[in-house]
Amino acid sequence: MSKLHVRLATVEDTPLILQFIKELAEYEELLSEVTATEEILKKTLFEDHKAEVIIGEVDAQPVAFALFFSNFSTFVGKPGLYLEDLYVKPEFRGAGFGKQLLAYLANLAVSRDYGRFEWWCLDWNTSSIEFYKRMGAKPMDGWTVYRVDGDALTELAAKNIL
């Protein structure tokens, strides 16, 4: 198999990014939750610069992507790199491309003097969990992820009116 070439996404990649997001959501059985559109992604990623995307290509064919953004650790006193999504097309899995994407992002975090590189993983995704552990990642036992979205987010925001 050919070598993976990793590059930063450009605005022209917006349809491809949405396609990858939908493929990942389908794999995670969450496709019904995808409300992103090309317009939303174009504004959020390339106008507002809220996150970044890398594309992995083999022989100029897109086969993988990762979407990430900066967060901040008060304990470390530095920003961190938060990986929101990493996806390799099924027919290209097992070739080391996921490892290459993680290494690329780790290198980016180091070059930016970030203190951490973190992400979530679904509990049922045991193959990914084992893969991440082999890459040196540690599960953060004792932490529970909380989310407020949709109507609950709007209602919570309204409680802050003075």
Side-chain angles (χ1 to χ4, degrees):
M1 186 161 289
S2 300
K3 183 179 191 267
L4 185 74
H5 170 72
V6 180
R7 65 174 176 82
L8 287 171
T10 65
V11 68
E12 290 80 20
D13 292 310
T14 303
L16 174 63
I17 294 166
L18 183 57
Q19 175 190 326
F20 275 133
I21 290 168
K22 288 179 177 179
E23 287 179 25
L24 173 61
E26 187 171 11
Y27 169 75
E28 294 179 342
E29 300 179 9
L30 297 169
L31 186 57
S32 64
E33 294 188 26
V34 175
T35 60
T37 64
E38 287 183 27
E39 294 75 26
I40 290 170
L41 292 173
K42 194 174 290 187
K43 180 177 184 338
T44 306
L45 298 174
F46 301 106
E47 294 174 21
D48 298 343
H49 304 285
K50 299 293 185 183
E52 298 175 74
V53 175
I54 56 173
I55 306 288
E57 298 175 328
V58 173
D59 299 327
Q61 175 189 357
V63 301
F65 96 117
L67 187 145
F68 61 97
F69 53 89
S70 296
N71 58 11
F72 194 85
S73 168
T74 55
F75 288 8
V76 176
K78 291 182 175 188
L81 192 147
Y82 183 81
L83 174 61
E84 178 67 22
D85 288 325
L86 184 143
Y87 176 74
V88 177
K89 287 181 171 279
E91 61 270 27
F92 291 92
R93 293 182 189 153
F97 297 155
K99 181 179 181 179
Q100 287 179 269
L101 290 177
L102 285 177
Y104 182 97
L105 293 171
N107 187 0
L108 191 63
V110 168
S111 71
R112 292 180 180 182
D113 194 30
Y114 287 3
R116 294 181 176 165
F117 176 21
E118 345 182 74
W119 59 90
W120 300 348
C121 183
L122 293 167
D123 291 339
W124 60 260
N125 196 343
T126 54
S127 62
S128 290
I129 291 167
E130 292 307 313
F131 167 72
Y132 295 144
K133 286 180 180 179
R134 287 192 306 272
M135 297 303 105
K138 300 176 293 186
M140 299 300 296
D141 293 332
W143 294 84
T144 299
V145 176
Y146 289 90
R147 176 180 294 164
V148 179
D149 61 5
D151 291 340
L153 178 60
T154 304
E155 291 169 17
L156 179 58
K159 293 177 184 190
N160 192 31
I161 297 175
L162 302 176

